[in-house]
């Protein structure tokens, strides 16, 4: 007979939330690395605002940087140079 309340075996939702947490953390780290590499093309204010957005708005912040921010920073750099 299987014990449903075994504290040593995590429940399915615990495993699922752990996977989500790892994915969100990885996405944030990737976005911060990308931001750091692109920082030369941004003003200080832009870099700080993007970093705050990436860190303070889970999922949407990193996705916004990866989808929009780094391209906008590259386009501004091309136009100014």
């Amino acid at each position: 007979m299987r014990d449903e309340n075994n504290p040593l075996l995590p429940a399915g939702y615990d495993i699922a939330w752990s996977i989500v947490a790892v994915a969100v953390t990885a996405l944030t780290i990737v976005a911060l690395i990308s931001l750091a590499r692109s920082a030369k093309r941004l003003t200080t204010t832009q870099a700080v605002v993007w970093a705050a957005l990436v860190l303070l708005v889970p999922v949407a912040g990193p996705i916004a940087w990866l989808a929009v921010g780094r391209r906008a920073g590259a386009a501004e750099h091309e136009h100014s140079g």
Side-chain angles (χ1 to χ4, degrees), residues 3-81:
D3 183 10
E4 295 294 328
N5 295 322
N6 186 341
L8 299 177
L9 297 175
Y13 61 85
D14 287 338
I15 294 169
W17 279 115
S18 296
I19 292 169
V20 168
V22 168
V24 169
T25 302
L27 180 64
T28 302
I29 290 169
V30 167
L32 287 173
I33 290 170
S34 172
L35 177 60
R37 290 181 177 171
S38 301
K40 292 177 240 166
R41 297 187 306 241
L42 302 172
T43 66
T44 302
T45 304
Q46 288 173 323
V48 169
V49 169
W50 274 113
L53 187 68
V54 166
L55 291 170
L56 298 176
V57 183
V59 182
I63 289 174
W65 165 254
L66 294 171
V68 177
R70 65 183 179 165
R71 291 191 186 118
E76 283 180 26
H77 182 66
E78 289 173 7
H79 290 294
S80 66

